[in-house]
């Protein structure tokens, strides 16, 4: 699947005149004159040059970019060395690989004192930077992307369903309404889902796999109801089984046969790239089933083996709380004073019929609570998918499927859970 970072998008302008957000200061260069930044996406060179120009002319900044599927291993290797990078850029989806590793500076302690910004910071995003014990702030989230529903407003209206974002979101709180739209549209060859498990996937977006004691916690009434909804989609032939990241799926979108997509806030730019001719027909709303979840977020951390910790913090502080962060459409800063700046700069989106989606994204981000992310989540996800598909194909009762999932989680991950508990 194609991956998008939070800062890839349309850069509208660099923040200027934001001294009210963070008092400008003179920096004393500590240790050596080099700052090394590791990232899983490109685009940091221009920010580094701006930092040098405005605050620290006499330093060298080196940026290393790793492929998305390689960066976790590269970072872990870097953390284990005697000397490592000064700043790591992390994706929240992989925080489970890092939040149990004792290899980061605690940003709540001296000389960082990040707590002074907490009252002006997105509450949920603040917790995303804590280690698994909730004792240390090992990273700070700079921006995030809520998961949202993009839909064809003209199609909703043509078939008698709510077409305004808030009205449609309220209508889709009920799974029965979601199913009704899918059945109605399918009679015209139009789909709402790519895969059989999409309805449950939306519900799962805000659910943790494990609690703090590594107990599997997805066995719930809501999860079982989600399985039943997926069963209805399979039995009634409401699934396209065509991947939107491949040509066959994009052809459905171009042919007006895909009415809904569930993506991060970057989705409007991606859909516009696929079908610019559909400008004005799409809208964005919060997810069905009264679900509010973050697609992903981007964090910054200082490794304990950094040679230049104070300068690294100065860079992070100026980026997140000062005026280094570029304004990017569809990205939501976690520092609340910047959210309003981003909303005003983004304005109305013509592709979404003049909708100011940036304000919606900020509202959703403030309501999101970050779920526990563990090193086991990826394995748990694979087990769940496997058991769901197997159970649905075999016609098993939803409660039996749920019991099989829990049994396999506890059996296959037993040894890993015991190690993590030590």
């Amino acid at each position: 699947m194609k991956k998008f970072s939070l800062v890839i998008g349309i850069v509208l302008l660099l923040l200027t005149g934001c001294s009210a957000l963070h008092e400008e200061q003179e920096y004393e260069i500590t240790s050596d004159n080099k700052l090394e930044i590791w990232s899983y996406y490109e685009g940091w060179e221009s920010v580094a040059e701006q930092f040098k120009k405005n605050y620290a002319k006499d330093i060298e900044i080196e940026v290393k970019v790793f492929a998305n599927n390689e960066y976790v291993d590269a970072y872990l290797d870097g953390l284990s060395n005697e000397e490592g990078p000064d700043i790591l850029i992390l994706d929240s989806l992989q925080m489970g690989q890092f939040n149990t590793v004792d290899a980061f500076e605690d940003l709540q302690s001296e000389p960082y004192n990040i707590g002074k910004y907490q009252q002006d910071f997105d509450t949920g995003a603040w917790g995303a930077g804590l280690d698994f014990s909730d004792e240390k702030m090992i990273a700070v989230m700079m921006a995030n992307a809520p998961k949202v529903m993009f839909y064809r407003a003209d199609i909703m209206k043509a078939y008698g369903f709510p077409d305004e974002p808030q009205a449609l979101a309220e209508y889709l709180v009920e799974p029965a309404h979601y199913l009704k739209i899918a059945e109605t549209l399918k009679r015209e060859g139009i789909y709402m889902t790519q895969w059989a498990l999409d309805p449950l996937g939306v519900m799962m977006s805000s659910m943790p796999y494990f609690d703090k004691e590594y107990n599997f916690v997805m066995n719930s009434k809501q999860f079982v109801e989600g399985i039943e909804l997926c069963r209805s989609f399979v039995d009634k032939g409401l699934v396209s089984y065509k991947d939107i990241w491949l040509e066959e799926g994009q052809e459905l979108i171009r042919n007006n046969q895909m009415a809904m997509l569930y993506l991060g806030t970057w989705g409007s730019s991606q859909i516009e790239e696929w079908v610019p001719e559909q400008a004005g027909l799409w809208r964005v709303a919060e997810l069905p089933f009264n679900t509010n979840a973050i697609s992903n977020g981007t964090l910054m951390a200082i490794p304990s083996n950094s040679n230049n910790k104070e300068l690294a913090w100065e860079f992070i502080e100026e980026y997140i709380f000062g005026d280094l962060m570029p304004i990017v459409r569809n990205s939501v800063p976690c520092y609340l004073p910047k959210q309003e700046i981003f909303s005003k700069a983004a304005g109305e989106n013509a592709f979404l019929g003049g909708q100011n989606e940036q304000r919606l994204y900020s509202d959703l981000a403030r309501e999101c609570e970050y779920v526990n992310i563990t090193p086991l989540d990826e394995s748990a996800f694979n087990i769940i998918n496997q058991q769901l598909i197997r159970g649905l194909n075999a016609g098993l009762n939803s409660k039996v499927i749920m019991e099989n999932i829990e049994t396999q989680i506890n059996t296959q991950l037993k040894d890993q859970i015991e190690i993590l508990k030590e």
Side-chain angles (χ1 to χ4, degrees):
M1 180 181 290
K2 192 172 181 180
K3 301 285 287 185
F4 291 83
S5 70
L6 290 177
V7 300
I8 293 178
I10 304 172
V11 178
L12 303 175
L13 54 95
L14 284 174
L15 284 173
T16 55
C18 295
S19 57
L21 298 183
H22 181 68
E23 185 178 350
E24 197 168 308
Q25 56 183 291
E26 291 294 325
Y27 294 144
E28 178 183 351
I29 306 304
T30 59
S31 186
D32 56 40
N33 275 1
K34 182 178 180 181
L35 191 66
E36 188 169 333
I37 301 172
W38 287 11
S39 176
Y40 61 96
Y41 61 86
E42 298 179 349
W44 288 98
E45 286 78 4
S46 59
V47 175
E49 287 303 311
Q50 189 71 26
F51 179 73
K52 289 173 61 176
K53 178 181 177 181
N54 292 350
Y55 307 107
K57 296 181 176 63
D58 298 328
I59 66 170
E60 175 188 352
I61 301 181
E62 179 181 355
V63 179
K64 288 186 178 180
V65 178
F66 298 87
N68 193 276
N69 62 345
E70 299 174 355
Y71 93 88
V72 171
D73 289 339
Y75 282 19
L76 290 174
D77 286 343
L79 292 171
S80 65
N81 295 334
E82 184 177 341
E83 295 181 3
D86 302 298
I87 296 174
L88 291 183
I89 310 300
L90 306 166
D91 189 325
S92 64
L93 297 178
Q94 278 79 47
M95 275 299 286
Q97 304 298 320
F98 300 102
N99 60 15
T100 56
V101 177
D102 186 17
F104 297 95
E105 291 293 283
D106 181 5
L107 300 180
Q108 297 174 119
S109 65
E110 295 282 354
Y112 315 108
N113 298 317
I114 196 173
K116 63 188 176 185
Y117 295 111
Q118 186 171 359
Q119 65 179 4
D120 292 320
F121 209 83
D122 185 299
T123 304
W126 186 265
L130 295 172
D131 67 356
F132 198 69
S133 68
D134 292 335
E135 295 177 356
K136 295 181 179 180
M137 177 73 80
I138 62 171
V140 56
M141 183 169 282
M142 60 186 187
N144 57 33
K147 191 172 184 178
V148 289
M149 172 183 68
F150 294 94
Y151 68 95
R152 284 283 297 272
D154 59 323
I155 293 177
M156 293 298 115
K157 187 173 183 179
Y159 291 95
F161 297 110
D163 61 296
E164 291 300 317
Q166 184 173 350
L168 182 59
E170 291 174 355
Y171 182 76
L172 289 177
V173 168
E174 294 295 331
H177 292 166
Y178 185 86
L179 181 60
K180 181 179 180 180
I181 293 179
E183 290 179 299
T184 301
L185 297 185
K186 178 56 173 58
R187 289 195 285 269
E188 303 298 326
I190 303 172
Y191 296 92
M192 286 172 57
T193 60
Q194 299 173 74
W195 310 113
L197 304 182
D198 278 357
L200 181 60
V202 172
M203 292 182 181
M204 286 171 57
S205 298
S206 59
M207 298 181 186
Y209 293 98
F210 301 93
D211 63 17
K212 291 293 186 180
E213 284 71 46
Y214 298 102
N215 298 305
F216 182 67
V217 293
M218 275 196 170
N219 192 342
S220 64
K221 179 182 177 182
Q222 183 183 14
F223 196 97
V224 172
E225 289 175 349
I227 297 175
E228 283 302 309
L229 186 58
C230 292
R231 188 190 306 279
S232 295
F233 269 69
V234 172
D235 292 346
K236 296 175 184 291
L238 307 178
V239 186
S240 76
Y241 296 107
K242 292 187 177 180
D243 191 340
I244 62 170
W245 300 104
L246 300 177
E247 178 60 30
E248 60 178 7
Q250 292 164 30
E251 189 68 20
L252 276 185
I253 301 174
R254 284 193 290 271
N255 291 339
N256 305 304
Q257 292 178 280
M258 183 60 71
M260 286 186 185
L261 298 172
Y262 317 99
L263 303 168
T265 53
W266 41 262
S268 62
S269 298
Q270 180 59 76
I271 300 170
E272 184 174 10
E273 180 181 321
W274 287 333
V275 284
E277 69 276 9
Q278 292 181 8
L281 302 181
W282 288 87
R283 300 289 186 278
V284 61
E286 60 185 286
L287 292 172
F289 319 126
N290 199 30
T291 300
N292 191 8
I294 292 296
S295 171
N296 71 315
T298 305
L299 303 96
M300 307 178 84
I302 302 175
S304 297
N305 60 355
S306 161
N307 258 345
N308 219 335
K309 298 182 180 67
E310 290 189 30
L311 184 60
W313 173 243
E314 287 162 359
F315 184 93
I316 291 173
E317 196 170 24
E318 286 301 330
Y319 188 86
I320 298 178
F321 307 106
D323 56 5
L324 278 182
M325 184 187 295
I327 296 180
V328 180
R329 183 184 292 279
N330 306 331
S331 178
V332 182
C334 299
Y335 187 49
L336 300 181
K338 282 193 176 182
Q339 287 187 6
E340 185 63 24
I341 294 172
F342 272 46
S343 293
K344 289 180 178 178
E348 297 178 349
N349 188 338
F351 184 78
L352 296 177
Q355 187 177 358
N356 185 336
E357 86 273 36
Q358 195 71 32
R359 195 164 298 281
L360 169 66
Y361 301 156
S362 294
D363 291 342
L364 292 177
R366 294 187 192 197
E367 295 172 5
C368 283
E369 292 187 10
Y370 282 78
V371 300
N372 293 328
I373 298 177
T374 79
L376 306 172
D377 287 6
E378 184 174 350
S379 296
F381 173 82
N382 292 333
I383 292 171
I384 290 170
N385 272 12
Q386 182 185 62
Q387 291 300 315
L388 282 169
I389 294 171
R390 183 176 297 171
L392 289 174
N393 288 338
L396 298 181
N397 177 280
S398 296
K399 290 186 178 180
V400 172
I401 294 175
M402 187 70 253
E403 290 171 359
N404 288 344
I405 289 172
E406 188 160 23
T407 297
Q408 291 301 315
I409 291 284
N410 292 331
T411 300
Q412 295 186 36
L413 303 182
K414 178 182 177 181
D415 292 344
Q416 295 178 56
I417 290 173
E418 289 180 355
I419 292 172
L420 287 168
K421 283 184 174 181
E422 291 179 355

